[in-house]
Amino acid sequence: MARRTSLREFQESLAQRLAESREGERRTLLGLETPGENWLVDLADTGEVLPVPLIASVPMTHPWYRGLVNVRGNLCGVVDFSLFQAGEPITPAGSARILLAGALHGSGIALLFARTSGLHGPDEFGEEDDADEQRPWVSQVLSDVQGRKWLKLDIGALVRNPAFLEAGVLEA
């Protein structure tokens, strides 16, 4: 039989766990990688991170639009985030992952990354000079204690960008 807990014990336990979570280290950034770049995304902007399922190609689209995946009955368009930015294509296997954008940004958006690098706290990074950065979906340029450069991805700015919205190509 399950142990019965009094309301008082439950409230005390809950209060203790809440206090511990406030005191603990806040890891609110998800680290992702493309060939040659490190990215950070606010957890509030994310939906899920998944191994890459079978991608169905879609004709007459840019090469960076990899196709559609079925995630629990919902179709999501997969964009190779590196290739979209004129980088190297990502092989959708092994450590590659798709990041589903959070519901705040609409459904059906999946970004293909080469790998994840875990959760990070904002206090792990220092702000860098971003005068040379021209991509509107980069909200900040940061560096970690090892001196590695990290780019903070603004998913909202990305999904509103006209180049991102134009996945189709005209038939030649």
Side-chain angles (χ1 to χ4, degrees):
M1 181 175 228
R3 179 180 176 262
R4 300 192 99 194
T5 304
S6 74
L7 179 57
R8 179 183 207 88
E9 289 174 336
F10 174 75
Q11 289 174 330
E12 288 172 357
S13 171
L14 183 59
Q16 181 180 359
R17 285 185 286 163
L18 285 171
E20 289 171 358
S21 70
R22 283 188 205 113
E23 294 169 8
E25 188 176 336
R26 301 218 187 236
R27 295 183 174 262
T28 59
L29 299 170
L30 175 63
L32 299 151
E33 299 175 25
T34 60
E37 290 186 314
N38 298 309
W39 291 87
L40 294 168
V41 181
D42 279 317
L43 285 178
D45 286 338
T46 65
E48 294 181 64
V49 177
L50 304 167
V52 183
L54 180 65
I55 301 174
S57 64
V58 177
M60 297 181 7
T61 57
H62 288 284
W64 50 262
Y65 188 82
R66 299 301 282 271
L68 297 170
V69 295
N70 181 343
V71 178
R72 288 179 297 288
N74 296 307
L75 291 179
C76 298
V78 178
V79 171
D80 183 323
F81 192 59
S82 177
L83 201 54
F84 171 73
Q85 302 176 98
E88 296 176 33
I90 296 171
T91 303
S95 61
R97 297 289 182 263
I98 59 169
L99 169 70
L100 301 179
L104 173 70
H105 303 293
S107 61
I109 301 165
L111 300 173
L112 178 64
F113 285 89
R115 68 187 53 82
T116 61
S117 59
L119 294 175
H120 302 276
D123 56 335
E124 296 177 38
F125 302 95
E127 194 153 0
E128 293 288 312
D129 177 28
D130 64 349
D132 295 333
E133 184 55 59
Q134 299 298 314
R135 295 172 283 189
W137 49 86
V138 176
S139 64
Q140 279 183 299
V141 178
L142 305 165
S143 65
D144 61 17
V145 292
Q146 287 90 20
R148 291 180 298 189
K149 180 178 171 181
W150 292 80
L151 303 168
K152 191 166 180 195
L153 174 59
D154 181 343
I155 292 181
L158 176 67
V159 301
R160 289 187 304 270
N161 187 279
F164 185 83
L165 296 171
E166 292 294 326
V169 293
L170 297 175
E171 195 170 4

